[in-house]
Amino acid sequence: MTAVVKRRNRRARNKPAPEIAESVRQLPRENLTTPFPPISPLNEEQVEHIHDSSMQLLEEQGIEVLGEMALEVFRKAGAKVDSNGVVKMDRGLVMEAISKAPEEFTVTPRNPERPIHVGGNSINFGLVSGPPNVHDCLGGRRPGNVEDYRKVIKLAQFFNIIHFIGTQGVATTDLPPNTRHLDTTYINLTHTDKTSFTIGIGGGRIRDAAEMTAIALGIGLDDLKTRPSLLTNINVNSPRKLDDSMAYAAMQMSMLGQPVIVTPFTLMGAMTPATMAGALVQQNAEALLGLTLLQLTAPGSPVVYGAFTTNVDMRSGSPAFGTPENSLANMASGQLARRYQLPYRSSACNASNVNDCQATWETQMALWSSVMGHANIIFHSAGWLEGGLLTSFEKIVTDCEMLQHMSRLFCTVTVNDSEIGLEAMDQVGPGGHFFGSDHTLERYRDAFYEPYLSDWQNSENWQSAGSKDATMRATEIWQQILREYEPPPTDPGIREELEAFVVKRKEQLGRAEPILEPMSV
């Protein structure tokens, strides 16, 4: 151990990643904040009614919790636990526990110039997480594999508008289930220098990811406890069940001082009542139970109120996204998170099978409502298709264009005499044009947002250039990015230590039974 510490002390600081694919126009990397007030579809009385009903649900009906470690935490805190593992808690216990959680916090990855702030008016967009399949217009639809995972992470590294890497950009189904988290964590730490999530299933995976993150940072595991650098997301299995592997993973993360998002998976009409009010009450109760568990485990640990409430197609039972109901839930959930003074996570999803108009309007509905609901963490912002069963290379490119459009809305409007240009209006006069005016010539280079994907040519020029639609252009762009990709600098000593850790843990886990991994939303 001493030798390892000394070697870390000799390491150079991580440097920013090089700029690549300069011909793909994108906005500079920045920490986004929204200047707009949140949209609140619920009035104050309705928010309190949902709160009171949630408390009643926790007090009288409770939530089933699997796993003796979590149940013991609840017992010691004074909650009632029956023989079936159903936990019932007094509202005073819940409110006292969650009051200890911070309203805001910062997560700093191995590149200290890429921190993300979580809370307040901050907005952070994340890569798609969890799909078992992948698609691009060259290779078609296929099960996710490690090579595609690398490509997805490279695309996320390139786009400045992507602030964090989600749990799994696509599942690596060609790798053993019980060790694939080591490979994906290694790829995250060497192919990108952005904040990333780890799989919130079981304490062992959490511990492995935390140790690898500490190695990448050049610090010890104890030092990581005071430096949030890694996140995870767990789901409550609606209706009203928290499984042991996710509970234990979340508890382990909190004990390590790393942020945890607790997200109920609530589908109106299937996993909750088919009403907005009923869904919000159940979502709220489930989220508060998980957040209470974490604050009882590690008081003051960073947590996030997560929401994943949408409706189902009542004819087929399939989840629907980007619907009016999904959008209202995104905004109303933000009200609940603010009610408890907690950071808020939402999602920008769609149910389309291809990167088409449906994918765009549903994603935009979910994205807009997440932003206007003041979600600090927006999952699945780029690349999600098929209701979460597919990661699309072209969709990553088109979504990042949409995210850049959204981020430009956050720019403050400057109003002064120079900007107004009354003198220029006088010089041009009635019936003239401003193309050649000094006022325009001073500003034309950066007066407006310039997209990298939109094609503004007239029809004749567009046809002569090949009549390429947005998806075809996106195919060319992701290929260009991957051709020009260069990994962010990594100290050779850190890379060697990460590789050694992976080899050792694979040998240890190779003797264990494989673990099946449920998809995390």
Side-chain angles (χ1 to χ4, degrees), residues 336-416:
L336 293 169
R338 291 189 295 278
R339 164 68 173 78
Y340 304 113
Q341 298 181 307
L342 294 170
Y344 170 44
R345 170 247 155 138
S346 186
S347 301
C349 301
N350 68 91
S352 181
N353 291 298
V354 294
N355 188 34
D356 61 359
C357 292
Q358 177 188 337
T360 303
W361 78 61
E362 290 179 352
T363 299
Q364 184 66 276
M365 282 283 286
L367 173 64
W368 179 263
S369 58
S370 293
V371 168
M372 297 313 295
H374 277 209
N376 308 117
I377 295 282
I378 303 181
F379 255 54
H380 314 304
S381 296
W384 167 293
L385 280 178
E386 288 187 24
L389 296 178
L390 185 74
T391 293
S392 162
F393 284 22
E394 283 79 18
K395 187 69 161 55
I396 290 174
V397 175
T398 55
D399 283 340
C400 285
E401 178 73 274
M402 195 152 51
L403 295 176
Q404 288 200 157
H405 278 254
M406 182 68 70
S407 70
R408 263 314 270 269
L409 286 177
F410 302 154
C411 295
T412 56
V413 177
T414 302
V415 178
N416 56 39

Coordinates of all heavy atoms in Angstrom, one line a residue, residues 336-416:
L336 N -42.3 18.8 -6.1 CA -42.2 17.9 -4.9 C -40.7 17.9 -4.4 O -40.5 18.0 -3.2 CB -42.6 16.5 -5.2 CG -44.1 16.4 -5.5 CD1 -44.5 15.0 -6.0 CD2 -45.0 16.6 -4.2
A337 N -39.8 17.8 -5.3 CA -38.4 17.9 -4.9 C -38.0 19.2 -4.2 O -37.4 19.2 -3.2 CB -37.5 17.7 -6.1
R338 N -38.6 20.3 -4.7 CA -38.3 21.6 -4.1 C -39.0 21.7 -2.7 O -38.6 22.3 -1.8 CB -38.7 22.7 -5.0 CG -37.8 22.8 -6.2 CD -38.1 24.1 -7.0 NE -39.5 24.1 -7.6 CZ -39.8 23.5 -8.8 NH1 -38.9 22.8 -9.4 NH2 -41.0 23.6 -9.3
R339 N -40.2 21.0 -2.6 CA -40.9 20.9 -1.3 C -40.0 20.4 -0.2 O -40.1 20.8 0.9 CB -42.2 20.1 -1.5 CG -42.9 19.6 -0.3 CD -43.5 20.7 0.5 NE -44.3 20.3 1.6 CZ -43.9 19.9 2.8 NH1 -42.5 19.8 3.0 NH2 -44.7 19.5 3.8
Y340 N -39.1 19.4 -0.6 CA -38.3 18.8 0.4 C -36.8 19.3 0.3 O -36.0 18.8 1.0 CB -38.3 17.3 0.2 CG -39.6 16.7 0.2 CD1 -40.2 16.1 -0.9 CD2 -40.4 16.7 1.4 CE1 -41.5 15.6 -0.9 CE2 -41.7 16.2 1.4 CZ -42.2 15.6 0.3 OH -43.5 15.1 0.3
Q341 N -36.6 20.4 -0.5 CA -35.3 21.0 -0.6 C -34.3 20.0 -1.0 O -33.2 20.0 -0.5 CB -35.0 21.7 0.7 CG -35.9 22.9 1.1 CD -35.5 23.6 2.3 OE1 -35.3 22.9 3.4 NE2 -35.4 24.9 2.3
L342 N -34.6 19.3 -2.1 CA -33.7 18.2 -2.6 C -33.4 18.5 -4.0 O -34.2 19.0 -4.8 CB -34.3 16.8 -2.4 CG -34.5 16.3 -1.0 CD1 -35.3 15.1 -1.0 CD2 -33.2 16.1 -0.3
P343 N -32.2 18.1 -4.5 CA -31.9 18.2 -6.0 C -32.9 17.2 -6.7 O -33.4 16.3 -6.1 CB -30.5 17.7 -6.1 CG -29.9 17.9 -4.7 CD -31.0 17.7 -3.8
Y344 N -33.1 17.4 -8.0 CA -34.1 16.7 -8.7 C -33.6 16.1 -10.0 O -32.8 16.7 -10.7 CB -35.3 17.7 -9.0 CG -36.3 17.2 -10.0 CD1 -36.8 15.9 -9.9 CD2 -36.8 18.0 -11.0 CE1 -37.8 15.4 -10.8 CE2 -37.8 17.6 -11.9 CZ -38.3 16.3 -11.8 OH -39.2 15.8 -12.6
R345 N -33.9 14.8 -10.3 CA -33.6 14.1 -11.5 C -34.8 13.8 -12.3 O -35.8 13.3 -11.8 CB -32.9 12.8 -11.2 CG -32.7 11.9 -12.4 CD -33.5 10.6 -12.3 NE -33.8 10.0 -13.6 CZ -33.7 8.7 -13.9 NH1 -33.4 7.9 -13.0 NH2 -34.0 8.3 -15.1
S346 N -34.8 14.0 -13.6 CA -35.8 13.6 -14.5 C -35.2 12.9 -15.8 O -34.0 12.6 -15.7 CB -36.6 14.9 -14.9 OG -37.7 14.5 -15.7
S347 N -36.0 12.8 -16.8 CA -35.5 12.1 -18.0 C -36.1 12.7 -19.3 O -37.2 13.2 -19.2 CB -35.9 10.6 -18.0 OG -35.3 9.9 -16.8
A348 N -35.4 12.5 -20.4 CA -35.9 13.0 -21.7 C -36.0 11.8 -22.6 O -35.1 11.5 -23.5 CB -34.9 14.0 -22.3
C349 N -37.1 11.1 -22.5 CA -37.3 9.8 -23.2 C -38.3 9.9 -24.3 O -39.1 10.8 -24.4 CB -37.7 8.7 -22.2 SG -36.5 8.5 -20.9
N350 N -38.3 8.8 -25.1 CA -39.3 8.7 -26.2 C -39.6 7.2 -26.4 O -38.9 6.4 -25.9 CB -38.8 9.3 -27.5 CG -37.7 8.5 -28.1 OD1 -37.9 7.6 -28.9 ND2 -36.5 8.9 -27.7
A351 N -40.7 6.9 -27.1 CA -41.1 5.5 -27.4 C -40.9 5.1 -28.8 O -41.4 4.0 -29.2 CB -42.5 5.3 -26.9
S352 N -40.3 5.9 -29.6 CA -40.2 5.6 -31.1 C -39.2 4.5 -31.3 O -38.2 4.3 -30.6 CB -39.7 6.9 -31.8 OG -39.6 6.6 -33.2
N353 N -39.4 3.8 -32.4 CA -38.5 2.6 -32.7 C -37.4 3.1 -33.6 O -36.5 2.3 -33.8 CB -39.4 1.5 -33.4 CG -40.3 0.8 -32.5 OD1 -39.9 0.2 -31.5 ND2 -41.6 0.9 -32.7
V354 N -37.5 4.3 -34.2 CA -36.5 4.8 -35.1 C -36.2 6.3 -34.8 O -37.0 6.9 -34.2 CB -36.9 4.6 -36.6 CG1 -36.9 3.1 -37.0 CG2 -38.2 5.3 -36.9
N355 N -35.2 6.8 -35.4 CA -34.8 8.2 -35.2 C -35.6 9.1 -36.2 O -35.1 9.5 -37.2 CB -33.3 8.4 -35.4 CG -32.8 9.8 -35.0 OD1 -33.4 10.4 -34.1 ND2 -31.8 10.3 -35.7
D356 N -36.9 9.2 -35.9 CA -37.8 9.9 -36.8 C -38.4 11.1 -36.1 O -38.0 11.5 -35.0 CB -38.8 8.9 -37.3 CG -39.7 8.3 -36.2 OD1 -39.5 8.7 -35.0 OD2 -40.6 7.5 -36.6
C357 N -39.5 11.6 -36.7 CA -40.2 12.8 -36.2 C -40.8 12.4 -34.8 O -40.8 13.3 -33.9 CB -41.3 13.2 -37.1 SG -40.8 13.9 -38.7
Q358 N -41.4 11.2 -34.7 CA -41.9 10.8 -33.4 C -40.9 10.9 -32.3 O -41.1 11.4 -31.2 CB -42.5 9.4 -33.4 CG -43.1 8.9 -32.1 CD -43.5 7.5 -32.1 OE1 -43.8 6.9 -33.2 NE2 -43.5 6.8 -31.0
A359 N -39.7 10.4 -32.6 CA -38.6 10.4 -31.6 C -38.3 11.8 -31.2 O -38.0 12.1 -30.0 CB -37.4 9.7 -32.2
T360 N -38.3 12.7 -32.2 CA -38.0 14.1 -31.9 C -39.0 14.8 -31.1 O -38.7 15.5 -30.1 CB -37.7 14.9 -33.2 OG1 -36.8 14.2 -34.0 CG2 -37.3 16.3 -33.0
W361 N -40.3 14.7 -31.5 CA -41.3 15.5 -30.7 C -41.5 14.9 -29.3 O -41.7 15.7 -28.3 CB -42.6 15.6 -31.5 CG -43.5 14.5 -31.5 CD1 -44.2 13.9 -30.4 CD2 -44.0 13.8 -32.7 NE1 -45.0 12.9 -30.9 CE2 -45.0 12.8 -32.2 CE3 -43.8 14.0 -34.0 CZ2 -45.6 12.0 -33.1 CZ3 -44.5 13.1 -34.9 CH2 -45.4 12.1 -34.5
E362 N -41.4 13.6 -29.1 CA -41.5 13.0 -27.8 C -40.3 13.4 -26.9 O -40.5 13.7 -25.7 CB -41.7 11.5 -27.9 CG -43.0 11.1 -28.5 CD -43.2 9.6 -28.6 OE1 -42.3 8.9 -28.3 OE2 -44.4 9.2 -28.9
T363 N -39.1 13.3 -27.5 CA -37.9 13.7 -26.7 C -38.0 15.2 -26.3 O -37.7 15.6 -25.2 CB -36.7 13.5 -27.5 OG1 -36.6 12.1 -27.8 CG2 -35.4 13.9 -26.7
Q364 N -38.5 16.0 -27.3 CA -38.5 17.5 -27.0 C -39.6 17.8 -25.9 O -39.3 18.6 -25.0 CB -38.9 18.2 -28.3 CG -38.9 19.7 -28.1 CD -37.5 20.3 -27.8 OE1 -37.1 20.4 -26.6 NE2 -36.8 20.8 -28.8
M365 N -40.7 17.1 -25.9 CA -41.7 17.3 -24.9 C -41.1 16.9 -23.5 O -41.3 17.7 -22.5 CB -42.9 16.4 -25.2 CG -43.8 16.9 -26.2 SD -44.9 18.3 -25.6 CE -46.1 17.4 -24.6
A366 N -40.4 15.7 -23.4 CA -39.9 15.3 -22.2 C -38.7 16.2 -21.7 O -38.6 16.5 -20.5 CB -39.4 13.9 -22.3
L367 N -37.9 16.6 -22.7 CA -36.8 17.5 -22.4 C -37.2 18.9 -21.9 O -36.7 19.4 -20.9 CB -35.9 17.6 -23.7 CG -34.7 18.6 -23.6 CD1 -33.7 18.2 -22.5 CD2 -34.1 18.8 -24.9
W368 N -38.2 19.5 -22.6 CA -38.6 20.8 -22.3 C -39.3 20.8 -20.9 O -39.0 21.7 -20.1 CB -39.7 21.3 -23.3 CG -40.2 22.6 -23.0 CD1 -41.4 22.9 -22.4 CD2 -39.6 23.9 -23.3 NE1 -41.6 24.3 -22.3 CE2 -40.5 24.9 -22.9 CE3 -38.4 24.2 -24.0 CZ2 -40.2 26.2 -23.0 CZ3 -38.1 25.6 -24.1 CH2 -39.0 26.6 -23.6
S369 N -40.1 19.8 -20.6 CA -40.7 19.7 -19.3 C -39.7 19.4 -18.2 O -39.9 19.9 -17.1 CB -41.8 18.7 -19.3 OG -41.4 17.4 -19.6
S370 N -38.7 18.7 -18.5 CA -37.6 18.4 -17.5 C -36.9 19.7 -17.2 O -36.6 20.0 -16.0 CB -36.7 17.4 -18.0 OG -37.3 16.1 -18.1
V371 N -36.5 20.5 -18.2 CA -35.8 21.7 -18.0 C -36.7 22.7 -17.3 O -36.3 23.4 -16.3 CB -35.4 22.3 -19.4 CG1 -34.9 23.7 -19.2 CG2 -34.2 21.4 -19.9
M372 N -38.0 22.8 -17.7 CA -38.8 23.8 -17.1 C -39.3 23.3 -15.7 O -39.9 24.1 -14.9 CB -40.0 24.1 -18.0 CG -39.6 24.8 -19.3 SD -38.4 26.2 -19.1 CE -39.4 27.4 -18.2
G373 N -39.2 22.1 -15.4 CA -39.4 21.6 -14.1 C -38.2 21.7 -13.2 O -38.2 21.3 -12.0
H374 N -37.1 22.3 -13.7 CA -35.9 22.5 -13.0 C -35.2 21.2 -12.5 O -34.7 21.1 -11.4 CB -36.1 23.5 -11.8 CG -36.0 24.9 -12.2 ND1 -35.6 25.9 -11.4 CD2 -36.4 25.5 -13.4 CE1 -35.7 27.1 -12.0 NE2 -36.1 26.9 -13.2
A375 N -35.2 20.2 -13.4 CA -34.4 19.0 -13.1 C -32.9 19.3 -13.2 O -32.5 19.9 -14.2 CB -34.8 17.9 -14.1
N376 N -32.2 19.0 -12.2 CA -30.8 19.2 -12.1 C -30.0 18.2 -12.9 O -28.9 18.4 -13.4 CB -30.3 19.3 -10.7 CG -31.1 20.2 -9.8 OD1 -31.7 19.8 -8.9 ND2 -31.0 21.5 -10.2
I377 N -30.5 16.9 -12.9 CA -29.9 15.8 -13.6 C -31.0 15.3 -14.6 O -32.1 14.9 -14.2 CB -29.6 14.7 -12.6 CG1 -28.5 15.1 -11.7 CG2 -29.2 13.4 -13.4 CD1 -27.1 15.1 -12.2
I378 N -30.7 15.3 -15.9 CA -31.6 14.9 -16.9 C -31.0 13.6 -17.5 O -30.1 13.7 -18.4 CB -32.0 16.0 -17.9 CG1 -32.5 17.2 -17.2 CG2 -33.0 15.4 -18.9 CD1 -32.9 18.3 -18.1
F379 N -31.5 12.5 -17.2 CA -31.1 11.2 -17.7 C -31.6 11.0 -19.1 O -32.6 11.6 -19.6 CB -31.7 10.1 -16.9 CG -30.7 9.4 -15.9 CD1 -29.9 10.2 -15.1 CD2 -30.5 8.0 -16.0 CE1 -29.0 9.6 -14.2 CE2 -29.6 7.4 -15.1 CZ -28.8 8.2 -14.2
H380 N -30.9 10.2 -19.9 CA -31.3 9.7 -21.2 C -31.5 10.9 -22.2 O -32.4 10.9 -23.1 CB -32.6 8.9 -21.1 CG -32.6 7.9 -20.1 ND1 -31.7 6.9 -20.0 CD2 -33.5 7.7 -19.0 CE1 -31.9 6.1 -18.9 NE2 -33.0 6.6 -18.3
S381 N -30.7 11.9 -22.0 CA -30.8 13.1 -22.8 C -30.4 12.9 -24.3 O -30.8 13.7 -25.2 CB -30.0 14.3 -22.2 OG -30.5 14.7 -21.0
A382 N -29.6 11.9 -24.5 CA -29.1 11.7 -25.9 C -28.9 10.2 -26.2 O -28.2 9.5 -25.5 CB -27.7 12.4 -26.0
G383 N -29.6 9.7 -27.2 CA -29.4 8.4 -27.7 C -30.5 7.4 -27.4 O -30.4 6.2 -27.9
W384 N -31.5 7.7 -26.7 CA -32.5 6.7 -26.2 C -33.6 6.5 -27.3 O -34.1 7.4 -27.9 CB -33.2 7.3 -25.0 CG -34.5 6.7 -24.5 CD1 -35.7 6.7 -25.1 CD2 -34.7 6.0 -23.2 NE1 -36.6 6.1 -24.3 CE2 -36.0 5.6 -23.2 CE3 -33.8 5.7 -22.2 CZ2 -36.6 5.0 -22.1 CZ3 -34.4 5.0 -21.1 CH2 -35.7 4.7 -21.0
L385 N -33.9 5.2 -27.6 CA -35.0 4.8 -28.5 C -35.7 3.6 -28.0 O -35.2 2.9 -27.0 CB -34.4 4.6 -29.9 CG -34.1 5.8 -30.9 CD1 -33.6 5.3 -32.2 CD2 -35.4 6.6 -31.1
E386 N -36.8 3.2 -28.6 CA -37.5 2.0 -28.3 C -37.9 2.0 -26.8 O -37.9 0.9 -26.2 CB -36.8 0.8 -28.7 CG -36.6 0.5 -30.2 CD -36.0 -0.8 -30.5 OE1 -36.1 -1.8 -29.6 OE2 -35.4 -1.0 -31.5
G387 N -38.3 3.1 -26.3 CA -38.7 3.1 -24.9 C -37.6 2.6 -23.9 O -37.9 2.1 -22.8
G388 N -36.3 2.8 -24.3 CA -35.2 2.4 -23.5 C -34.6 1.1 -23.8 O -33.7 0.6 -23.1
L389 N -35.0 0.4 -24.9 CA -34.4 -0.9 -25.3 C -33.3 -0.7 -26.3 O -32.7 -1.7 -26.6 CB -35.5 -1.8 -25.9 CG -36.6 -2.2 -24.9 CD1 -37.7 -3.1 -25.6 CD2 -36.1 -3.0 -23.7
L390 N -33.1 0.5 -26.8 CA -32.1 0.7 -27.8 C -31.3 2.0 -27.7 O -31.9 3.0 -27.4 CB -32.9 0.8 -29.2 CG -32.0 0.8 -30.4 CD1 -31.3 -0.5 -30.7 CD2 -32.8 1.3 -31.6
T391 N -30.0 1.9 -27.9 CA -29.1 3.1 -28.0 C -28.8 3.3 -29.5 O -28.4 2.4 -30.2 CB -27.8 2.8 -27.2 OG1 -28.1 2.8 -25.8 CG2 -26.8 4.0 -27.5
S392 N -29.0 4.5 -29.9 CA -28.8 4.8 -31.3 C -27.7 5.8 -31.5 O -27.7 6.9 -30.9 CB -30.1 5.4 -31.9 OG -29.9 6.1 -33.1
F393 N -26.7 5.5 -32.3 CA -25.7 6.5 -32.6 C -26.2 7.7 -33.3 O -25.8 8.8 -32.9 CB -24.6 5.8 -33.6 CG -23.7 4.8 -32.9 CD1 -24.1 4.2 -31.8 CD2 -22.5 4.5 -33.5 CE1 -23.3 3.2 -31.2 CE2 -21.7 3.5 -32.9 CZ -22.0 2.9 -31.7
E394 N -27.1 7.6 -34.2 CA -27.6 8.8 -34.9 C -28.5 9.6 -33.9 O -28.5 10.8 -34.0 CB -28.5 8.4 -36.1 CG -27.7 7.9 -37.3 CD -27.2 6.5 -37.3 OE1 -27.7 5.7 -36.4 OE2 -26.3 6.2 -38.0
K395 N -29.2 9.0 -33.0 CA -30.0 9.7 -32.1 C -29.1 10.5 -31.1 O -29.5 11.6 -30.6 CB -30.9 8.7 -31.3 CG -31.9 9.4 -30.3 CD -33.0 10.1 -31.1 CE -34.3 10.4 -30.3 NZ -34.1 11.1 -29.1
I396 N -27.9 10.0 -30.8 CA -27.0 10.8 -29.9 C -26.7 12.1 -30.6 O -26.7 13.1 -30.0 CB -25.7 9.9 -29.6 CG1 -26.0 8.8 -28.7 CG2 -24.7 10.8 -29.0 CD1 -24.8 7.8 -28.5
V397 N -26.4 12.0 -31.9 CA -26.0 13.2 -32.7 C -27.2 14.2 -32.8 O -27.0 15.4 -32.5 CB -25.5 12.8 -34.1 CG1 -25.2 14.1 -34.9 CG2 -24.2 11.9 -33.9
T398 N -28.3 13.7 -33.1 CA -29.5 14.6 -33.2 C -29.9 15.1 -31.9 O -30.3 16.3 -31.8 CB -30.7 13.9 -33.9 OG1 -31.0 12.7 -33.2 CG2 -30.3 13.5 -35.3
D399 N -29.9 14.4 -30.8 CA -30.2 14.9 -29.5 C -29.3 15.9 -29.0 O -29.7 16.9 -28.4 CB -30.3 13.7 -28.5 CG -31.5 12.9 -28.6 OD1 -32.5 13.4 -29.2 OD2 -31.5 11.7 -28.1
C400 N -28.0 15.7 -29.3 CA -27.0 16.8 -28.9 C -27.2 18.1 -29.6 O -27.0 19.1 -29.0 CB -25.6 16.3 -29.1 SG -25.1 15.0 -27.8
E401 N -27.7 18.0 -30.8 CA -28.1 19.3 -31.5 C -29.2 19.9 -30.7 O -29.2 21.1 -30.5 CB -28.5 19.0 -32.9 CG -28.9 20.2 -33.7 CD -27.8 21.1 -34.1 OE1 -27.5 22.0 -33.2 OE2 -27.3 21.0 -35.2
M402 N -30.2 19.1 -30.4 CA -31.4 19.6 -29.7 C -31.0 20.2 -28.3 O -31.5 21.2 -27.8 CB -32.4 18.5 -29.5 CG -33.8 19.0 -29.1 SD -35.1 17.9 -29.7 CE -34.5 16.3 -29.1
L403 N -30.1 19.5 -27.6 CA -29.6 20.0 -26.3 C -28.9 21.3 -26.4 O -29.0 22.2 -25.6 CB -28.7 18.9 -25.7 CG -29.3 17.6 -25.3 CD1 -28.3 16.6 -24.8 CD2 -30.5 17.8 -24.3
Q404 N -28.1 21.5 -27.5 CA -27.4 22.8 -27.7 C -28.4 23.9 -27.9 O -28.3 25.0 -27.4 CB -26.4 22.7 -28.9 CG -25.2 21.8 -28.6 CD -24.0 22.2 -29.6 OE1 -22.9 21.9 -29.2 NE2 -24.3 22.7 -30.7
H405 N -29.4 23.6 -28.7 CA -30.5 24.6 -28.9 C -31.1 25.0 -27.6 O -31.3 26.2 -27.3 CB -31.6 24.0 -29.8 CG -31.4 24.0 -31.3 ND1 -32.0 24.9 -32.1 CD2 -30.5 23.3 -32.1 CE1 -31.6 24.7 -33.4 NE2 -30.7 23.7 -33.3
M406 N -31.4 24.0 -26.8 CA -32.0 24.2 -25.5 C -31.1 25.1 -24.6 O -31.5 26.1 -23.9 CB -32.3 22.9 -24.8 CG -33.0 23.1 -23.4 SD -34.6 23.7 -23.5 CE -35.5 22.4 -24.2
S407 N -29.8 24.8 -24.6 CA -28.8 25.5 -23.7 C -28.7 26.9 -24.2 O -28.4 27.8 -23.3 CB -27.5 24.8 -23.7 OG -26.8 25.0 -25.0
R408 N -28.8 27.2 -25.5 CA -28.7 28.6 -25.9 C -29.9 29.5 -25.3 O -29.8 30.7 -25.2 CB -28.7 28.7 -27.4 CG -27.4 28.8 -28.1 CD -26.4 29.8 -27.5 NE -26.5 31.2 -28.0 CZ -25.8 31.6 -29.0 NH1 -25.0 30.8 -29.7 NH2 -26.0 32.8 -29.4
L409 N -31.0 28.8 -25.0 CA -32.1 29.6 -24.4 C -31.7 30.1 -23.0 O -32.4 31.1 -22.6 CB -33.3 28.7 -24.3 CG -34.1 28.3 -25.5 CD1 -35.2 27.4 -25.2 CD2 -34.6 29.6 -26.2
F410 N -30.7 29.5 -22.4 CA -30.3 30.0 -21.1 C -29.5 31.2 -21.1 O -29.2 31.8 -20.0 CB -29.6 28.9 -20.3 CG -30.3 27.6 -20.2 CD1 -29.6 26.4 -20.1 CD2 -31.7 27.5 -20.2 CE1 -30.3 25.2 -20.0 CE2 -32.4 26.3 -20.1 CZ -31.7 25.1 -20.0
C411 N -29.1 31.7 -22.3 CA -28.2 32.9 -22.3 C -29.1 34.1 -22.0 O -30.2 34.2 -22.4 CB -27.7 33.0 -23.7 SG -26.5 31.7 -24.3
T412 N -28.5 35.0 -21.2 CA -29.2 36.2 -20.8 C -29.2 37.2 -22.0 O -28.3 37.2 -22.8 CB -28.5 36.9 -19.7 OG1 -27.1 37.1 -20.0 CG2 -28.5 36.0 -18.4
V413 N -30.3 37.9 -22.1 CA -30.5 38.9 -23.2 C -29.9 40.2 -22.7 O -30.2 40.7 -21.7 CB -32.0 39.0 -23.5 CG1 -32.2 40.1 -24.6 CG2 -32.6 37.7 -24.0
T414 N -29.0 40.7 -23.5 CA -28.4 42.1 -23.2 C -29.3 43.1 -23.9 O -29.6 43.1 -25.1 CB -27.0 42.1 -23.8 OG1 -26.2 41.1 -23.2 CG2 -26.4 43.5 -23.5
V415 N -29.7 44.1 -23.1 CA -30.4 45.2 -23.6 C -29.7 46.5 -23.2 O -29.6 46.9 -22.0 CB -31.9 45.2 -23.0 CG1 -32.6 46.4 -23.5 CG2 -32.6 43.9 -23.3
N416 N -29.2 47.2 -24.2 CA -28.5 48.5 -24.0 C -28.6 49.2 -25.3 O -29.1 48.7 -26.3 CB -27.1 48.4 -23.5 CG -26.2 47.5 -24.4 OD1 -26.3 47.6 -25.6 ND2 -25.3 46.7 -23.7

